[in-house]
Amino acid sequence: METVVSGIRSTGKLHLGNYFGALKNFVKMQHENNCFFFIADYHTLTTHPAPQDLHANVKQALVEYLAAGIDPDIATVYIQSDLPEVAELYLLLNMNAYLGELERCTSFKEKIRTQPNNVNAGLLTYPTLMAADIIIHKASKVPVGKDQGQHLEMARTFANRFNRLYKVEFFPEPYAYNFGEELVKIPGLDGSPKMSKSDNEANALFLADPPEVLRKK
């Protein structure tokens, strides 16, 4: 069995786009691979959530993982911050990542454009944290959308660089998981290209929305 790793940021309630873009496929692949599914609470810290919101969102994401059909008796389900080795590897990868390559990352450029008042170091080094999430398990496959392809390419770069610098063949190169079908991208209710947890409540169909709220939206 191949090792597969993926996670979702705990920035709020999961929505229909998360289900069709990730959770539905997680449920399928857990029966075919050695899967690690995590709740990415470290990644949410770039938005400076209040502590009570951070903890509540982690619990909400865990409940929705299980409700969607992820089986902890089959796959490994965990919270990112419960694995201290991730932060340790993140530090090591940052020492060998270069400012120029991080600044060229498309997602970082987008954050500079959309949130100029909160361009923090966590946003800059997001690719090294994502790489740590993946290669800590020596994963060979990662289910990613098109907007995450560059991050996965950078994860391969960081894995190879670590192996070369320390003269070990420790981390394998991770590649995109091939679902054999076109991934579904759900637009926002306001017509935006992609439904988002961080937008206003009225712009997304959340999995935990009561039926009457869903009908109104």
Side-chain angles (χ1 to χ4, degrees):
M1 276 191 173
E2 291 186 304
T3 297
V4 176
V5 174
S6 192
I8 295 178
R9 295 174 70 219
S10 53
T11 52
K13 295 179 291 185
L14 303 184
H15 54 63
L16 201 63
N18 296 130
Y19 178 76
F20 284 109
L23 291 174
K24 182 180 178 182
N25 291 316
F26 288 0
V27 173
K28 178 182 177 182
M29 69 176 68
Q30 69 181 343
H31 299 287
E32 303 167 352
N33 304 274
N34 176 33
C35 290
F36 293 86
F37 299 128
F38 65 96
I39 299 167
D41 56 339
Y42 278 153
H43 284 292
T44 68
L45 297 179
T46 60
T47 60
H48 307 148
Q52 63 272 21
D53 293 336
L54 178 62
H55 296 311
N57 288 340
V58 166
K59 292 178 181 178
Q60 181 72 26
L62 177 58
V63 167
E64 290 173 343
Y65 268 24
L66 302 179
I70 295 178
D71 187 346
D73 289 330
I74 299 174
T76 300
V77 181
Y78 66 99
I79 300 169
Q80 184 184 30
S81 59
D82 280 346
L83 196 64
E85 292 85 355
V86 168
E88 293 170 2
L89 181 56
Y90 172 46
L91 173 65
L92 293 173
L93 296 180
N94 274 334
M95 298 302 177
N96 300 317
Y98 299 106
L99 179 61
E101 62 189 345
L102 294 173
E103 287 181 329
R104 287 193 297 271
C105 185
T106 302
S107 63
F108 180 65
K109 292 179 181 179
E110 178 67 11
K111 293 298 183 182
I112 292 176
R113 185 182 68 82
T114 58
Q115 54 182 66
N117 295 324
N118 181 28
V119 182
N120 55 67
L123 293 173
L124 179 66
T125 59
Y126 183 100
T128 52
L129 180 53
M130 182 175 172
D133 291 324
I134 296 167
I135 67 177
I136 195 74
H137 299 293
K138 299 185 178 180
S140 54
K141 294 293 175 64
V142 183
V144 293
K146 291 181 180 179
D147 55 344
Q148 293 287 320
Q150 186 183 30
H151 287 157
L152 186 57
E153 183 179 339
M154 294 176 79
R156 288 195 293 273
T157 297
F158 298 142
N160 285 329
R161 186 175 295 160
F162 184 97
N163 291 342
R164 185 174 65 255
L165 286 172
Y166 297 105
K167 297 179 173 55
V168 293
E169 289 299 323
F170 195 71
F171 296 122
E173 291 189 14
Y175 287 90
Y177 190 98
N178 182 11
F179 293 103
E181 58 187 43
E182 194 69 27
L183 290 176
V184 176
K185 181 181 287 188
I186 306 297
L189 298 182
D190 64 353
S192 56
K194 185 178 179 181
M195 194 170 285
S196 172
K197 298 194 296 294
S198 56
D199 288 341
N200 67 75
E201 286 271 332
N203 191 40
L205 298 174
F206 293 101
L207 304 184
D209 279 342
E212 62 273 15
V213 173
L214 290 174
R215 282 193 293 269
K216 183 178 181 180
K217 288 182 177 180

